[in-house]
Amino acid sequence: MDFLIDNLALFMVLALAVLLFSGYPVALVLIGVALAFGLIGCALGQFPLVAFFNIPLRIYSTLGENLIYPAVPMLLFMGIALERSGIGRELLLCLQVLLRRVPASQAVAVTVIGVILAPLAGLVGASVATLAYLALPTMLERGYKRSFATGSIAAAGTLGLILPPAIMLYFLADELGVFISQMFLSTIVPGLVLVALYLAYYVGAAIVDPRIAPPLTALPTRGALRLTIYVVRSLALPVLLIAMVLGSVIAGLATPTQSACVGAAGAILLMLLNRSFSLRAMHGIVESTALMTAMVFFIAVAATAFSYVFRYFGGDTLVLELLRGLGFGDWGMLLTMLAIIFVLGFFIDWIEIALITLPIFEPVLKALDFSAYVGSPELASLWIAVLIALNLQTSFLTPPFGFALFFLKGAAPPSVALRDIYRGIVPIVAIQLLGIALVLALPGLATWLPIWAATP
């Protein structure tokens, strides 16, 4: 009995790990484990009844008084509007025209679209499915190898998770206690490095073996004036919208919520310019936004309840002592946490990973000291946040339960088998691990832009 009482937090984690494989929604599992162990603790005299009344207060302080969460619905609205309005198709066609002479031009075009449509982050299913519907049939018709085509689409669909103004960055900034503007700046260079690695792989593979990605032929030509108008309408305006959302936060001209509202209004304006605006379309967008917002907030509420009960039983101290007991230094503990997050990414989504593990790892993260290596405690926090963000990005791409892979399979033609998708994703995951290694070895990739922006 004493062993049970002393290790209630440990049994909470074990119960959570087992029940995550039950197939029940993650939010229900989280809140169910929290309430069940709260009742067990109450029966054992370790969790007083009055502590249950603190859970709603903790949820309110986490969600109701937080300036990050109100931005989530508007960002989701912007991403869904861009996806539903046909702007993605216009982008793809425009980039095909501009990149027609580049090896593996369609894989390159899909990657660039993944950068431009960063607001779809958190909506990776919509992003991957949209790119698959738009690009995959054409790529296969033009002789692209199935694994190469599917790998490029899956990678492009998840790029928005690391590039601002991705929703994941809002969550990480809140959980890790860094400014959202600094979080945006710190991920730009590592994200672009990852994009460069992808493009180098695509172009290099196409040069070495042209059968992987045959060159394009017979695309329509346009005069200089028509081409300029086409590029402005199809490419420049969506890029301008993302720049407005990103720039207003970084420059301190708007709060995250205000910038998200600007993005939502800009998405409606693009729909009007694109002639895709209608009351029926708006109804579908609003409905999808409400459903996605409800899912995000339900998980946040459940994760807050779980972390409260876990910490009440001394779980944060338990985790800190466990990692210290391994005999690792700061580097060992950091790499261990990154490895745990990477393994969790094989089985659950980034939202669950961020809201479950980060509160548990918080005392460990605060105990790490990389000031001498990175430059200051604040820069070290940003550097660690970028490493976690890059790590979380892989959660959508790692089998067996990488969500991007299943969304891609659902949107792919019947000729594309799941094994083709798994083969295509192997070099992509390897490139992402290389990106994490580069940021580990060269922290300036994450800190240079925030330092430059802060310099008078």
Side-chain angles (χ1 to χ4, degrees):
M1 185 63 69
D2 290 340
F3 178 77
L4 175 62
I5 292 174
D6 293 338
N7 295 279
L8 279 171
L10 177 61
F11 285 111
M12 275 190 75
V13 174
L14 293 176
L16 177 65
V18 172
L19 291 174
L20 283 176
F21 292 96
S22 65
Y24 285 101
V26 173
L28 293 179
V29 170
L30 281 168
I31 204 163
V33 171
L35 294 177
F37 275 84
L39 292 173
I40 292 172
C42 188
L44 296 174
Q46 301 299 309
F47 194 84
L49 187 62
V50 70
F52 283 102
F53 295 95
N54 290 331
I55 294 178
L57 296 176
R58 178 62 63 87
I59 292 171
Y60 177 77
S61 66
T62 301
L63 302 181
E65 299 178 354
N66 193 305
L67 297 178
I68 299 296
Y69 285 95
V72 171
M74 291 296 99
L75 284 173
L76 292 173
F77 178 92
M78 177 172 61
I80 294 171
L82 291 175
E83 184 259 325
R84 297 282 181 87
S85 63
I87 293 171
R89 175 176 290 277
E90 288 289 327
L91 280 170
L92 180 63
L93 294 175
C94 180
L95 288 170
Q96 283 181 354
V97 172
L98 296 176
L99 301 172
R100 59 187 301 170
R101 300 186 184 280
V102 177
S105 58
Q106 287 191 286
V108 174
V110 165
T111 304
V112 174
I113 291 176
V115 175
I116 296 172
L117 296 184
L120 284 174
L123 299 174
V124 168
S127 184
V128 171
T130 299
L131 292 175
Y133 281 126
L134 294 179
L136 187 55
T138 305
M139 295 173 81
L140 296 178
E141 287 174 6
R142 289 176 173 164
Y144 274 63
K145 189 177 180 180
R146 288 194 292 266
S147 59
F148 185 81
T150 55
S152 64
I153 289 174
T158 57
L159 271 175
L161 279 169
I162 187 66
L163 292 170
I167 293 174
M168 183 177 76
L169 303 183
Y170 285 81
F171 280 88
L172 288 181
D174 178 54
E175 293 289 336
L176 298 174
V178 299
F179 291 111
I180 185 62
S181 59
Q182 296 292 299
M183 188 76 206
F184 280 177
L185 289 170
S186 65
T187 56
I188 290 176
V189 174
L192 294 179
V193 167
L194 192 61
V195 171
L197 292 173
Y198 285 157
L199 296 182
Y201 163 63
Y202 300 148
V203 173
I207 292 175
V208 172
D209 186 0
R211 294 173 299 176
I212 292 177
L216 283 176
T217 56
L219 277 178
T221 58
R222 291 177 170 85
L225 179 60
R226 290 185 61 194
L227 179 62
T228 301
I229 295 173
Y230 180 63
V231 170
V232 169
R233 187 190 69 185
S234 301
L235 182 62
L237 289 179
V239 171
L240 179 61
L241 173 63
I242 306 308
M244 289 171 58
V245 176
L246 177 60
S248 61
V249 175
I250 292 176
L253 300 176
T255 66
T257 303
Q258 291 168 340
S259 68
C261 291
V262 170
I268 294 175
L269 179 60
L270 287 181
M271 290 178 67
L272 291 169
L273 293 175
N274 199 42
R275 298 179 182 178
S276 59
F277 182 88
S278 68
L279 292 179
R280 177 172 300 200
M282 284 298 295
H283 179 272
I285 292 169
V286 171
E287 184 178 29
S288 297
T289 301
L291 291 172
M292 186 68 69
T293 301
M295 181 202 73
V296 170
F297 277 79
F298 189 18
I299 293 173
V301 167
T304 302
F306 178 87
S307 63
Y308 172 77
V309 178
F310 180 79
R311 287 185 173 185
Y312 197 96
F313 291 141
D316 48 357
T317 304
L318 178 67
V319 172
L320 182 59
E321 292 177 351
L322 178 63
L323 289 176
R324 283 178 173 172
L326 296 175
F328 297 150
D330 288 344
W331 278 102
M333 287 195 287
L334 176 62
L335 294 176
T336 300
M337 285 187 289
L338 292 176
I340 291 172
I341 293 173
F342 179 76
V343 172
L344 287 174
F346 282 72
F347 307 105
I348 56 178
D349 195 358
W350 72 264
I351 298 178
E352 291 89 356
I353 297 174
L355 294 177
I356 295 171
T357 60
L358 294 185
I360 294 174
F361 287 154
E362 182 181 0
V364 183
L365 292 171
K366 288 182 177 179
L368 299 179
D369 184 11
F370 287 99
S371 301
Y373 182 67
V374 180
S376 72
E378 293 77 15
L379 291 175
S381 297
L382 279 175
W383 174 63
I384 292 173
V386 173
L387 290 171
I388 293 174
L390 287 167
N391 208 346
L392 288 174
Q393 188 187 14
T394 65
S395 67
F396 277 93
L397 296 171
T398 46
F401 299 124
F403 289 98
L405 310 183
F406 292 106
F407 286 124
L408 178 56
K409 180 64 178 77
S415 60
V416 177
L418 194 58
R419 64 176 176 272
D420 296 321
I421 297 174
Y422 281 172
R423 288 172 183 165
I425 214 62
V426 170
I428 301 301
V429 173
I431 289 172
Q432 289 190 319
L433 293 177
L434 174 60
I436 295 173
L438 287 174
V439 176
L440 276 167
L442 303 170
L445 293 175
T447 60
W448 172 78
L449 201 52
I451 293 172
W452 177 82
T455 303

